[in-house]
Amino acid sequence: EIYTLSLHDALPILRTDASMRPVDSSGAVCYSNLYVVGDMLAGTNRWDEKSGEGIAIGSATVAAAAASEAKEK
């Protein structure tokens, strides 16, 4: 039997807060200086959703704004 592993299968799938920072199972931010975007987001499957790069672009926009705001503080 042959099993192929896609890049998507190898990526960690992470939940995030509204600023795209990874959270643990209780919802607490794990790393305040790390942002999760694109295929690494929990609940995304761009092939089934036919969302193309939309998830990556949308989540990167939110993460960039959050990182910029954090830098200003």
Side-chain angles (χ1 to χ4, degrees):
E1 182 175 340
I2 298 174
Y3 178 77
T4 58
L5 183 68
S6 73
L7 177 59
H8 187 268
D9 292 333
L11 292 173
I13 305 299
L14 304 168
R15 292 182 0 184
T16 66
D17 67 358
S19 296
M20 308 310 290
R21 297 174 300 177
V23 296
D24 62 19
S25 60
S26 69
V29 173
C30 301
Y31 301 98
S32 62
N33 64 342
L34 180 67
Y35 299 87
V36 180
V37 299
D39 285 345
M40 295 178 65
L41 291 167
T44 63
N45 188 336
R46 66 182 187 166
W47 292 278
D48 289 341
E49 298 167 354
K50 298 183 178 28
S51 58
E53 300 303 322
I55 293 170
I57 294 168
S59 58
T61 301
V62 172
S68 177
E69 184 178 309
K71 184 177 179 181
E72 292 174 2
K73 289 183 180 179

